[in-house]
Amino acid sequence: MSPEQRNEDPGISYVTVDGIEGKMARVELPDGTTEDWRLASLPTGVKEGDVVRLDVQGGDVDLEVDHEETDRRHALGQRTLDRLNAQTPAGDLDL
Amino acid sequence: MRRLLLLAALLSGGALAQTALPGVLTIRFLDVGQGDAVLITAPEGQSLLYDGGRSEKRMTELLTQYGVRSLAVVAASHGDADHVTGLIPAVQRFKPKFFLNNGIAATTQTFGKLTTAVKTAGTQGLLASDRVINLGSVKVTVLPPPPGMPRGDQNLNSVGLLVEYGAFRALMTGDSETAETQGWLKTYPASKLGPIDVYKSIHHGAKNGDSPAWLRAVRPSNVVIGVGPNNYGHPTSEALALYKSVGAAIYRTDLNGTVTVTVQPGGKYNLSAVKGTGTTPQTRPAAPVPRAPTRVPALPPSSVTYPNCAAVRAAGKAPLLIGQPGYSRKLDRDGDGRACE
């Protein structure tokens, strides 16, 4: 591969598995939109919520679940949600 | 006469419409494509949006179309993008008082954007628990996920809502699956779960949603399926057969458009839909199927675009491999990852 071609590769990016529907997976792309991919095109054992790392080099695509990034995002999201819910009022609500 | 015309316009689902009518509860099962979104407006004007579909743009259009002026509560049945994306503009625009949720964060950017919007709006998070939200004179009972649901599964932790106004009852239970509905059957007496006048189909009519035991308890008179073009086979023939077996009339947002229920004091109700209500789903043509999924995963768009293969060749870039700048599926007719071969 030439240096020029190497520079044109998008390199590493991440998609998130939003849902698994039978043989399909709904993934969130880096731009925040969702797209359906065949579940078989994702790493074996992938689960909902997993962050998948894509490494594109010279036209070859390598995918693997990034457990560290998955855990990081989950922990961050959970902390945010917990803070939002921390002052949840008790009892019935009249609006 | 003028008053009657106004009433007719409001009940028909026209553009005027989310203005509260004295004494009338309005529930709209919004046509958001493949996803769920239900807008509930009390006779006194308070509104609750249960799920928001998968498109910010679509929800923004619908909120404008139906003349929504305020939202008291937004509720996420669970964290999947086809349920929460449209809640983002709803929160940004109306700064609701409460954000009802299941307490389990999703890892998507979409969910993060939603919680950021909630925080920025000063909206109070409301962790689902056994409680009643009195939306004016409408009683909304929260059905939190029953005990024992695995926290890693969003569907199994869907938050349900039971809406009651006079004798009228509507039920919505997100994308819950059999384990969750079994839990609810153990948690609540049968008299609480049914009979239901208008019921939102579980999980867009998926195979893993509604079950015979659950529907025997719910006893729905009408089922509304929030569904659009999809690659998952929703609604499934199994779900449609189930709804038919319990004698329910079936409405589908892909065929009928937004389905509107208006409920009079006492509970007498009427269903109408943008594209008509004469649905016989088992014999209707299937919803249009979107393009087949790509053979290889799509990649983030690059900054380089080519209108056609002639332009690619002129640039000396043919063939373009997936991942290279300018590659797009529309230039790769056989989907093998090599465009303009």
Side-chain angles (χ1 to χ4, degrees), chain B residues 17 21-22 26 33 37 40-41 70 91 94 101 125 130 135 146 149 151-152 208 218 224 231 256 259 267 277 318:
Chain B
L21 282 174
T26 305
I40 303 165
T41 299
S70 66
V91 168
F94 294 113
N101 63 86
D130 280 304
L135 200 64
M149 295 299 108
R151 280 188 68 84
N208 61 3
V218 173
V224 183
N231 295 320
N256 300 124
V259 177
T277 55

Side-chain angles (χ1 to χ4, degrees), chain B:
Chain B
M1 176 58 78
R2 192 175 166 188
R3 196 171 172 185
L4 283 174
L5 286 172
L6 176 63
L7 182 68
L10 290 170
L11 295 182
S12 69
L16 282 175
Q18 204 56 26
T19 309
L21 282 174
V24 176
L25 160 66
T26 305
I27 303 176
R28 294 187 195 279
F29 295 84
L30 299 170
D31 177 10
V32 290
Q34 176 67 12
D36 274 341
V38 186
L39 178 63
I40 303 165
T41 299
E44 298 81 8
Q46 302 91 329
S47 287
L48 183 156
L49 181 61
Y50 177 75
D51 287 339
R54 64 175 176 174
S55 164
E56 291 189 50
K57 180 171 178 283
R58 179 65 179 148
M59 179 52 66
T60 300
E61 291 169 354
L62 287 163
L63 292 171
T64 301
Q65 178 182 343
Y66 289 114
V68 177
R69 293 173 185 167
S70 66
L71 285 175
V73 183
V74 294
S77 66
H78 64 299
D80 285 358
D82 54 333
H83 292 252
V84 303
T85 307
L87 295 181
I88 297 166
V91 168
Q92 291 169 335
R93 189 163 167 183
F94 294 113
K95 298 178 173 49
K97 191 167 186 182
F98 293 112
F99 165 52
L100 177 65
N101 63 86
N102 67 3
I104 301 172
T107 54
T108 55
Q109 298 174 78
T110 301
F111 193 82
K113 191 174 176 184
L114 173 60
T115 51
T116 298
V118 168
K119 185 180 175 185
T120 303
T123 296
Q124 172 63 58
L126 191 63
L127 181 61
S129 63
D130 280 304
R131 76 166 80 224
V132 170
I133 299 172
N134 291 305
L135 200 64
S137 54
V138 178
K139 181 182 177 185
V140 180
T141 303
V142 177
L143 307 182
M149 295 299 108
R151 280 188 68 84
D153 191 313
Q154 284 283 350
N155 286 356
L156 284 174
N157 285 279
S158 290
V159 178
L161 293 182
L162 173 65
V163 180
E164 297 175 275
Y165 185 54
F168 172 84
R169 307 174 87 220
L171 180 64
M172 301 146 209
T173 57
D175 280 359
S176 52
E177 299 175 12
T178 304
E180 185 169 23
T181 55
Q182 282 177 336
W184 278 325
L185 285 170
K186 289 177 188 167
T187 305
Y188 302 113
S191 59
K192 181 161 184 170
L193 299 171
I196 292 296
D197 296 301
V198 181
Y199 172 67
K200 188 201 74 69
S201 163
I202 292 179
H203 200 175
H204 327 291
K207 280 183 186 175
N208 61 3
D210 284 296
S211 67
W214 174 248
L215 286 179
R216 277 197 300 273
V218 173
R219 292 176 285 158
S221 298
N222 301 278
V223 175
V224 183
I225 309 172
V227 67
N230 67 87
N231 295 320
Y232 320 132
H234 298 165
T236 59
S237 56
E238 290 88 344
L240 293 171
L242 262 179
Y243 304 145
K244 197 175 176 187
S245 73
V246 296
I250 301 170
Y251 300 87
R252 297 169 45 162
T253 57
D254 59 341
L255 301 179
N256 300 124
T258 291
V259 177
T260 299
V261 185
T262 51
V263 189
Q264 303 296 327
K268 188 177 177 185
Y269 67 96
N270 177 67
L271 279 91
S272 63
V274 169
K275 298 178 187 173
T277 55
T279 310
T280 47
Q282 289 83 355
T283 58
R284 288 250 177 151
V289 178
R291 57 178 166 68
T294 51
R295 291 177 57 198
V296 290
L299 292 164
S302 72
S303 57
V304 180
T305 57
Y306 296 103
N308 49 47
C309 284
V312 176
R313 292 188 186 100
K317 299 292 185 183
L320 272 176
L321 305 181
I322 187 167
Q324 290 183 330
Y327 172 88
S328 79
R329 282 172 306 203
K330 73 177 182 181
L331 300 175
D332 185 3
R333 290 185 179 181
D334 59 1
D336 66 352
R338 292 169 61 87
C340 305
E341 295 170 276

